[in-house]
Amino acid sequence: MTQTTDTERDAVTRPDGARSVADAHRASSPTGSPAGSTTDATIDAAGRAALDRPVVPLRHPLRWIAAAVVLVVLLNFVETLFTNEQWGWPAVGKWLFSPAILTGLQLTLVATALSAVISFAGGIVVAIGRLSRNPVLSGLAWGYVWLFRSVPLILVLVFLYNLGSLYPTIGIGVPFGPQFEVPTANVLGDLAIGVIGLSLSEIAYASEIVRAGVLAVDHGQHEAAQALGLPRRRQFVRVILPQALRSIVPAFVNQIVGLLKASSLLFYVSLLDLFGVVQNLSSTYPTDIIPLLVVATIWYLALTSAVSIVQYYVERWTARGSVRALPPTPFQRLRSAVRRGSGRGRGGPGGADRPSSSARAAQVVAADRVVASGKNDGKAI
């Protein structure tokens, strides 16, 4: 019995790591049986033939046809960009880094960054209020979200810009009693009005994103944190929120991209952001309207791409506790591709001719099927 077991183990294990069921069946067959020897020889020959047969990938002709059509359309569009003189690429190069454009770009970045930070912090507060068991806090938070999700952003900005006409002074103190008041014009400047308007609107959306992320955390995590005796504030900050960030980050970064584009509405409250500067320059230089619009498009594309890159690395950082190994970065993938192309990625010289693990697995599966059919034929015999 021991000798048979060792023979099976030696027959099943191969130097290249692949497993042949045909060898195992041959080792376990009783010796001295003519029918069994004939069947084993047939199965062994069929298994070797299956292992030697190359793996042919499945072909997708429609996929290649669709890719070719899309590529042709894209090349035609790119051709129009360079052959149509109406785009005015020399004027685009002249305005792309002009001081006026860079000043508007700076204002766009400042307003977007301040609004993003304020909206995220305010969204957490409003989300906690929505999840609170206190009916007053929960009702006020729900009413805030309902109001600012219903009113367009341009109306919020216009209301705030005309706040001085509605409330000449802003004060705080005892209701219907003495109050400390200051003129509205001295408190709220143009930039403050723009940031507050963007923040008030984005807080409503950010709160729903944070609330959805918190609700996505498994309830067992809440119970485990309570079992440890942690205070509720520490439960939320150290246990719930870090896990909720995996769901919050993609949706909130999408909101930041929308906020970046919504900052172009600041032009209507006398703030010369990137879009406002382009509008003013277009009225001054009517022959450069298209080049100026192209300049604004290029800068918005660049800013959105930068936000997307930051999003990728933030998502990768927040995924540390949910995956065994972090996915490779684009630079790591490029480096691996270069190494494989140079022949060093598969064990040095000659490694490129060695079949891949997926190909070996497919060959083993084919051999198993041949063996299974051989067993059925042997039983029939």
Side-chain angles (χ1 to χ4, degrees):
M1 181 65 68
T2 305
Q3 183 177 2
T4 304
T5 305
D6 295 339
T7 305
E8 293 178 0
R9 185 177 64 252
D10 295 339
V12 172
T13 306
R14 290 194 165 206
D16 58 353
R19 179 174 178 174
S20 174
V21 182
D23 295 339
H25 179 69
R26 186 179 65 253
S28 59
S29 299
T31 58
S33 175
S37 301
T38 304
T39 304
D40 292 343
T42 303
I43 293 175
D44 186 47
R48 285 198 301 269
L51 290 174
D52 294 336
R53 187 162 50 241
V55 178
V56 179
L58 182 64
R59 304 189 183 281
H60 302 277
L62 293 180
R63 183 185 302 175
W64 288 103
I65 294 174
V69 172
V70 172
L71 185 60
V72 169
V73 173
L74 180 61
L75 290 177
N76 285 327
F77 175 72
V78 172
E79 181 186 4
T80 62
L81 293 179
F82 293 97
T83 58
N84 189 352
E85 297 179 356
Q86 300 300 322
W87 287 104
W89 293 110
V92 170
K94 180 185 70 173
W95 291 111
L96 188 61
F97 296 101
S98 65
I101 294 293
L102 294 180
T103 302
L105 178 65
Q106 181 182 0
L107 181 59
T108 298
L109 291 175
V110 171
T112 303
L114 291 176
S115 302
V117 173
I118 295 173
S119 62
F120 184 70
I124 294 176
V125 174
V126 176
I128 294 175
R130 286 288 310 270
L131 297 172
S132 176
R133 298 177 182 177
N134 189 325
V136 177
L137 293 178
S138 179
L140 289 176
W142 180 88
Y144 179 89
V145 173
W146 167 76
L147 176 63
F148 284 97
R149 286 174 63 183
S150 303
V151 179
L153 177 58
I154 185 64
L155 288 181
V156 176
L157 292 172
V158 172
F159 263 114
L160 289 175
Y161 188 72
N162 295 279
L163 188 63
S165 302
L166 186 61
Y167 294 101
T169 59
I170 297 177
I172 185 172
V174 180
F176 304 102
Q179 292 188 354
F180 174 75
E181 297 181 349
V182 294
T184 304
N186 296 338
V187 176
L188 299 178
D190 291 340
L191 180 59
I193 291 174
V195 171
I196 292 174
L198 292 175
S199 301
L200 288 176
S201 182
E202 290 298 320
I203 284 174
Y205 298 98
S207 65
E208 290 298 287
I209 293 173
V210 174
R211 186 173 69 91
V214 171
L215 293 177
V217 178
D218 187 75
H219 189 67
Q221 300 294 325
H222 297 263
E223 296 177 348
Q226 293 174 3
L228 292 175
L230 298 177
R232 294 183 62 88
R233 181 186 63 82
R234 192 172 180 84
Q235 291 178 23
F236 181 80
V237 174
R238 300 303 298 272
V239 178
I240 306 304
L241 186 59
Q243 298 183 62
L245 284 176
R246 291 197 295 268
S247 302
I248 292 173
V249 168
F252 185 72
V253 173
N254 190 45
Q255 283 298 118
I256 293 179
V257 173
L259 178 63
L260 178 64
K261 294 183 290 185
S263 64
S264 59
L265 296 176
L266 297 177
F267 169 70
Y268 295 99
V269 291
S270 302
L271 273 177
L272 293 181
D273 65 325
L274 177 61
F275 180 74
V277 171
V278 168
Q279 285 289 92
N280 281 352
L281 291 176
S282 298
S283 60
T284 307
Y285 302 93
T287 58
D288 290 343
I289 293 179
I290 298 299
L292 286 169
L293 293 178
V294 172
V295 167
T297 303
I298 291 174
W299 278 117
Y300 280 120
L301 287 174
L303 295 178
T304 305
S305 301
V307 172
S308 301
I309 294 173
V310 174
Q311 174 189 0
Y312 173 80
Y313 284 98
V314 172
E315 288 184 5
R316 192 171 183 270
W317 179 75
T318 56
R320 292 179 301 170
S322 60
V323 295
R324 295 182 179 272
L326 293 177
T329 63
F331 296 104
Q332 292 173 346
R333 294 176 184 174
L334 179 61
R335 185 171 57 186
S336 300
V338 171
R339 288 182 176 179
R340 286 196 299 269
S342 61
R344 294 179 298 176
R346 293 184 178 177
D353 298 331
R354 192 178 303 169
S356 62
S357 58
S358 59
R360 289 198 301 269
Q363 292 173 354
V364 171
V365 170
D368 293 345
R369 292 176 179 174
V370 172
V371 170
S373 61
K375 285 184 178 179
N376 296 333
D377 295 340
K379 290 181 181 179
I381 293 173

